[in-house]
Amino acid sequence: MIEAALSRSVQRWCEGATGVTGAAKLSGGASQETWRFDITHPDGAIGAILRRSPKGYGAAPTRAAGLAAEAQLMQLAYQAGVPSPRVMHVLTPEDDLGTGFIMQRVEGETIARKILRDEEFAAARPLLARQIGGILAGLHRLPQDRLPELRSRGATQEIAEFERDYRSLNWPKPVFELALRWLRDHDPGPSAETTLVHGDFRNGNLIIGADGVRAVLDWELAHLGDPMEDLGWVCVNSWRFGEIDKPVGGFGTREELFAGYEAAGRKVDPERVKFWEVMGTLRWGIMCGGMMQRFREGPDHSMERAMIGRRASETEIDLLRLLAPRGS
């Protein structure tokens, strides 16, 4: 059914296209789906990806920018030379596919454990942290007057919001209490500069090839805020997949990340990065707690939710490491 709708759609906007083949669902939650397919064309097949909310689903969650905003951000990034898939088409009512967009498929790997261990990526791994710094610098330079409407969040707002989320779980954790107190005591206040923040820039949301980063994915949590937030989030231990001595995604150092960022003409504030790394670690811990709560109370007792929920204990260890006095 979806293949027929896609075929009708591509013939309207892709000159020369005769239809699609191989439509396969890659992932999908309650309100969003991702599909892989090929556009048949006289010049050769065109690999494509559909991201959509099917008809009948409501607005995106509060923290999500929405699919229309994602498409616009990816178009801006692509035009500015930030590695991003090329958006080929934004869905319209005539497509009869819901809301979303179709982008050109970028080949490569997103599974972190393969990127960190497979020989195919051995030459790229030492380059990735510095390369990511440069990519983030480019992302943070995207002109605000061309951005879609996005929520704006600062450090103080985020502390209050995550504390509310934590309290709602009714799952007391002394280490989370300690982290919240540390964050309040070290709140850096408003950033001197507000930029686009990707919001989920990490290992797993990057397409990597033997030559390095090929595309940045999953712009749904993009917002306006402190650019140091992205640098802190990419250093959270949960995205290192066991390579804990390499803070940037399990493949590099903070120094390499910062060097790449500053070589691209932007300034790093290491203390603010540390604040956002602590915030990001707590954020992931609370998200894990939310998964456990939904596993316990919801009708869908999926093992995936339970497995993610138990990772809250890992973030407690990570927070203790981050908050321990230096030299201890």
Side-chain angles (χ1 to χ4, degrees):
M1 178 177 170
I2 193 169
E3 197 162 287
L6 282 168
S7 291
R8 291 190 295 270
S9 171
V10 300
Q11 289 175 68
R12 280 194 295 272
W13 53 264
C14 183
E15 186 176 354
T18 58
V20 309
T21 60
K25 191 175 181 181
L26 299 181
S27 66
S31 63
Q32 286 195 9
E33 298 175 352
T34 302
W35 291 78
R36 173 192 177 106
F37 62 99
D38 290 312
I39 300 172
T40 53
H41 194 279
D43 296 334
I46 302 170
I49 296 288
L50 165 70
R51 275 180 53 78
R52 71 159 187 164
S53 288
K55 291 184 295 180
Y57 285 92
T62 305
R63 295 183 70 87
L67 288 169
E70 275 194 71
Q72 188 174 341
L73 289 168
M74 292 171 68
Q75 287 170 322
L76 286 171
Y78 182 84
Q79 292 163 6
V82 176
S84 177
R86 181 172 69 88
V87 175
M88 297 188 288
H89 177 66
V90 177
L91 298 181
T92 66
E94 290 73 26
D95 293 308
D96 197 31
L97 286 164
T99 60
F101 56 90
I102 295 170
M103 56 187 173
Q104 192 160 4
R105 193 164 68 238
V106 177
E107 300 299 338
E109 186 58 74
T110 60
I111 298 174
R113 294 189 186 280
K114 291 186 176 182
I115 295 165
L116 296 178
R117 290 164 175 76
D118 287 5
E119 182 61 27
E120 177 184 354
F121 307 103
R125 280 193 289 270
L127 311 175
L128 289 174
R130 188 180 181 96
Q131 189 177 16
I132 282 171
I135 291 169
L136 281 172
L139 190 155
H140 295 156
R141 277 199 303 267
L142 291 178
Q144 289 194 42
D145 60 356
R146 298 187 61 194
L147 299 179
E149 185 175 348
L150 297 170
R151 66 186 177 90
S152 181
R153 281 290 189 276
T156 306
Q157 292 171 293
E158 292 285 64
I159 294 168
E161 185 167 326
F162 286 125
E163 180 164 11
R164 284 194 300 272
D165 291 346
Y166 163 63
R167 303 285 177 213
S168 73
L169 299 176
N170 194 28
W171 191 14
K173 288 186 171 293
V175 177
F176 285 13
E177 300 283 352
L178 174 67
L180 283 166
R181 186 172 68 188
W182 187 95
L183 289 168
R184 286 191 294 266
D185 290 345
H186 293 81
D187 183 349
S191 173
E193 179 187 22
T194 298
T195 70
L196 171 67
V197 175
H198 181 276
D200 201 12
F201 193 102
R202 60 176 174 84
N203 206 348
N205 284 341
L206 304 170
I207 297 179
I208 307 292
D211 51 346
V213 180
R214 293 179 176 172
V216 180
L217 302 177
D218 291 346
W219 297 69
E220 63 184 336
L221 296 180
H223 58 279
L224 299 177
D226 183 349
M228 297 301 103
E229 179 182 344
D230 277 335
L231 277 71
W233 182 244
V234 77
C235 292
V236 168
N237 189 40
S238 296
W239 320 135
R240 303 177 202 173
F241 295 89
E243 301 289 339
I244 63 173
D245 295 329
K246 297 175 181 176
V248 183
F251 41 65
T253 66
R254 293 183 183 88
E255 291 75 18
E256 291 167 329
L257 173 72
F258 296 170
Y261 194 78
E262 295 197 330
R266 293 190 55 82
K267 182 70 176 171
V268 174
D269 184 334
E271 290 303 313
R272 292 186 84 97
V273 174
K274 165 73 178 289
F275 171 86
W276 286 109
E277 185 178 343
V278 175
M279 175 80 87
T281 305
L282 177 64
R283 167 186 164 189
W284 177 238
I286 293 170
M287 290 168 67
C288 290
M291 284 287 187
M292 181 60 76
Q293 184 182 57
R294 287 191 284 278
F295 169 76
R296 288 170 169 166
E297 300 177 1
D300 179 13
H301 299 291
S302 75
M303 288 304 297
E304 182 181 13
R305 283 181 177 163
M307 290 171 66
I308 294 173
R310 67 187 291 273
R311 294 189 66 187
S313 60
E314 298 173 8
T315 64
E316 293 181 89
I317 297 170
D318 296 339
L319 286 166
L320 288 173
R321 286 198 185 105
L322 281 168
L323 302 181
R326 288 176 183 171
S328 61

